[in-house]
Amino acid sequence: MKFKEMIAKKAFWKSVVLLGVGFLIVYNLVSMLFEYGGFDFNRFFTERTENGKLFRFILGQLLAAFSYGFIIAFGQFRMRGKKDKDKK
């Protein structure tokens, strides 16, 4: 499957979004556990969004989610395309 064909599929973008959101949840929970030794949601988000850092935090989260989701979904669809090609 070629790159343009792959990114034209709705299923590809659905995977990108789901993988990205899953990554954000896991990443933020693990980060919170390591930094605070537990689940301190209020302190975690307050420190990251205070003093005008809200936009930077949101932008960073969105870029990280998109990057992770795109890379992993691309790999999955590429592998699936190769398996389908080998079966023919």
Side-chain angles (χ1 to χ4, degrees), residues 50-88:
E50 66 186 356
N51 299 328
K53 295 188 284 185
L54 177 63
F55 178 73
R56 189 174 77 177
F57 175 73
I58 292 172
L59 183 62
Q61 294 285 302
L62 291 175
L63 286 173
F66 176 77
S67 299
Y68 179 83
F70 189 88
I71 291 167
I72 300 300
F74 181 79
Q76 289 176 342
F77 275 72
R78 180 109 181 182
M79 293 282 277
R80 191 177 306 148
K82 285 186 178 185
K83 286 181 184 179
D84 290 345
K85 188 178 178 182
D86 290 342
K87 287 182 182 180
K88 291 181 180 180

Side-chain angles (χ1 to χ4, degrees), residues 32 36 38-50 57:
M32 189 184 319
Y36 305 113
F39 296 113
D40 192 352
F41 294 100
N42 191 32
R43 186 171 160 204
F44 179 78
F45 289 107
T46 300
E47 286 184 4
R48 282 163 175 70
T49 60
E50 66 186 356
F57 175 73

Side-chain angles (χ1 to χ4, degrees), residues 7-36:
I7 64 171
K9 293 184 181 243
K10 187 176 181 178
F12 174 77
W13 293 107
K14 187 175 179 180
S15 291
V16 169
V17 170
L18 291 175
L19 288 165
V21 169
F23 165 76
L24 279 184
I25 291 168
V26 171
Y27 174 78
N28 285 319
L29 288 176
V30 169
S31 183
M32 189 184 319
L33 284 171
F34 283 143
E35 290 180 34
Y36 305 113

